[in-house]
Amino acid sequence: MKSLAAVLHGVGTDWEVTEIELDPPKTGEVLVKMSTAGVCHSDDHFYTGDSVPSDDMLEMMRAAGLPVPDFFPMLGGHEGAGVIEAVGPGVTSLQPGDHVAVSFLPACGSCRWCASGYSYLCDIGADLHSKQMTTDGTARRHLAGGADLMAMMQVGTFSEYVVASERSLIKVHEWIPLDAASLVSCGVTTGFGSGSIAAGTVPGDTVVVVGAGGIGMNAVQGAKVAGAKHVVVVDPVEFKREVAPDFGATHAVADIGVALELVKELTWGVMADRVILTAGVVHTDLVGAGMMLTRKGGTCLLTGMTPVSEMSVPLILADMVNSCKTLKGMLYGGMNPRASMPQLLSMYEAGTIKLDELITHRYPLEQINEAMKDLREGRNIRGVIDFSLS
C-alpha cells in the first residue's frame, strides 16, 4: 500500500515528504494508522550527523568485523500513537481497532535482559538501525523506486501508516487521547524515569535537570513525584524556564555557572544529590560540568545523546574517585515500556503528571522541516505531527 511519509536521504539534507510503499504485515506484525507522532531530538541527530559514525569510524567497525549500519534513506519518527488497521498471522495481543502507543524499544520478553527486568537492553535492539524487520529479516518499507528504507527504531512514525512488529506496540485504553498516548512512547517515559528511577531520587533530594525539552521537562516531573525538595532547571531558552515551575521545578536558571552558585547556596555547599543531563545535544564538556554540580556520593545521569564524534570526556578522576561520585548512562529512563507506559497514562488520568501541556505546537506532516527547525532552535517543549492536519 502507499503511505505519505517523511524520508531523510542523508546528513544535512531536508526531510522529503513523499509517497512510500509498505508491504502488508507478515507473521508477528501489525499495520497501524497513525494519529500523532512526536518530534524528538533523536530523529534530528541523523540530520545533524551526531548519530552517524564518520567514515573513519565505519572503517574501524568493518575491520573489527562489526555490523555497519546503513542509515539512509531513513523513514523518520519513533514516537507516536494510532489505531490498528490490520494484523498479520500469529499476532495475539492486538486486533484491528485497538488503540496503541509505539514503544521505540521493542522487547522480546525472553532474552537475558528482558528476563532480568532490563527490557530497554533487549537483544532485539541490536537491529534497530537495519532496513530489515526484526521478525523475519526482510524489508517492508520502500521508496517508490524500490529502494528499501531504514525505519527509525524499527517503527518510522513519520508516516500515515506504519508496519511494525507486535513487540513495538503497547495497547492503551480507548478513552486515553492518542496525543497523550504518543508522548509516553519515548520522551515522557525516558524523562520521567531519568528524574526518578534511573537517578535514584528519594524524598528531600536536590535535583538539577540540564536541558528542559521533551525529555528534561519530564525529568522534572519525575523528580517532583519522587519527592525532591529542590528541582533546579538549567536551560538557555527563556520560555522553558518560565513554564518549568508548572511541571515541578522550584528554580530555573539560564546557565551552568549560575546553577553552580545557586545549588551551593541551596544545599549549604553540599551540592546536588542527582544531576540529569537531558540537553538536546550533550557535548562532552557538559559532562564535566555536571559532575561539578554533583555532591559526594551523588549521581550524574547521562540521558541526552553525545555526538558519536566526541569520544573523549574531560573528567577530574581524582574527584570522581575520592568523592565516590557516579557517572551513569541510561536508556529509556530505566523503565519497562509494557509496565511503565500504562502506569504513566494512569498517572496522567489521576492528574499526577501533565501530558497535554507538553505539546507546544502541532504540525501537518508536510511541515516536518519547520518542526525540526523549531526543535533545534528550542521553540517547543514537544512538537507533534498531527496527521489530521495533512
Side-chain angles (χ1 to χ4, degrees):
M1 67 177 295
K2 296 185 184 300
S3 179
L4 193 67
V7 175
L8 190 67
H9 291 275
V11 174
T13 65
D14 283 345
W15 292 83
E16 179 191 14
V17 178
T18 185
E19 274 195 342
I20 64 170
E21 296 281 349
L22 294 176
D23 298 337
K26 296 187 178 181
T27 301
E29 299 169 5
V30 298
L31 175 68
V32 184
K33 181 176 174 59
M34 295 301 298
S35 171
T36 309
V39 180
C40 178
H41 249 110
S42 296
D43 299 289
D44 195 51
H45 287 321
F46 289 91
Y47 166 86
T48 60
D50 288 336
S51 288
V52 179
S54 66
D55 290 342
D56 288 344
M57 293 175 69
L58 291 173
E59 284 301 319
M60 290 172 61
M61 293 171 70
R62 291 188 186 96
L66 299 174
V68 176
D70 185 11
F71 295 117
F72 304 111
M74 183 183 83
L75 169 59
H78 62 283
E79 288 187 0
V83 180
I84 298 292
E85 189 91 350
V87 301
V91 173
T92 57
S93 65
L94 299 169
Q95 61 185 1
D98 283 348
H99 289 208
V100 292
V102 171
S103 171
F104 88 97
L105 287 172
C108 70
S110 56
C111 71
R112 169 187 175 183
W113 312 108
C114 286
S116 303
Y118 301 104
S119 60
Y120 49 88
L121 293 177
C122 178
D123 286 337
I124 293 177
D127 295 321
L128 286 181
H129 293 142
S130 170
K131 292 180 178 177
Q132 287 72 47
M133 300 290 287
T134 59
T135 48
D136 67 358
T138 63
R140 296 288 176 278
R141 311 144 182 128
H142 322 277
L143 289 175
D148 293 338
L149 285 162
M150 189 275 276
M152 179 73 172
M153 302 306 221
Q154 286 285 350
V155 285
T157 58
F158 292 166
S159 175
E160 293 174 314
Y161 291 89
V162 165
V163 175
S165 166
E166 178 183 15
R167 295 164 171 168
S168 295
L169 298 160
I170 311 293
K171 184 177 177 179
V172 299
H173 295 302
E174 291 185 7
W175 59 82
I176 297 289
L178 287 171
D179 288 354
S182 74
L183 296 176
V184 299
S185 291
C186 170
V188 171
T189 314
T190 299
F192 186 91
S194 294
S196 55
I197 296 169
T201 304
V202 297
D205 272 355
T206 293
V207 178
V208 179
V209 178
V210 183
I215 293 177
M217 205 66 84
N218 289 293
V220 171
Q221 296 204 84
K224 176 189 176 184
V225 169
K229 178 182 179 181
H230 302 299
V231 182
V232 179
V233 162
V234 184
D235 198 291
V237 179
E238 184 177 5
F239 102 86
K240 293 182 180 179
R241 298 197 302 273
E242 289 174 349
V243 301
D246 296 339
F247 295 91
T250 57
H251 303 77
V253 298
D255 62 68
I256 290 286
V258 176
L260 282 164
E261 294 303 315
L262 173 62
V263 172
K264 186 181 295 184
E265 178 183 346
L266 291 173
T267 63
W268 299 283
V270 174
M271 303 309 287
D273 303 281
R274 324 289 164 190
V275 176
I276 305 158
L277 303 181
T278 55
V281 181
V282 179
H283 293 288
T284 52
D285 57 353
L286 191 59
V287 178
M291 293 294 281
M292 290 176 64
L293 278 162
T294 305
R295 66 158 168 82
K296 295 178 182 180
T299 298
C300 179
L301 185 73
L302 180 58
T303 298
M305 291 296 293
T306 299
V308 293
S309 60
E310 298 184 22
M311 294 185 288
S312 297
V313 180
L315 290 174
I316 303 173
L317 295 180
D319 175 57
M320 186 173 179
V321 173
N322 294 334
S323 296
C324 302
K325 297 180 182 181
T326 298
L327 176 61
K328 182 178 181 181
M330 182 56 65
L331 280 173
Y332 210 59
M335 302 189 86
N336 177 334
R338 295 212 172 270
S340 301
M341 289 166 67
Q343 175 192 24
L344 290 169
L345 290 173
S346 292
M347 294 171 71
Y348 160 71
E349 289 185 277
T352 307
I353 62 170
K354 297 182 178 184
L355 297 183
D356 302 321
E357 295 84 352
L358 293 167
I359 299 176
T360 315
H361 198 87
R362 300 170 185 272
Y363 306 85
L365 182 62
E366 293 81 358
Q367 292 181 5
I368 182 66
N369 288 297
E370 179 182 336
M372 287 295 181
K373 182 178 179 183
D374 287 348
L375 172 80
R376 270 174 240 125
E377 296 180 359
R379 294 195 180 103
N380 294 329
I381 298 173
R382 184 54 107 218
V384 298
I385 302 298
D386 185 338
F387 288 93
S388 71
L389 299 178
S390 297

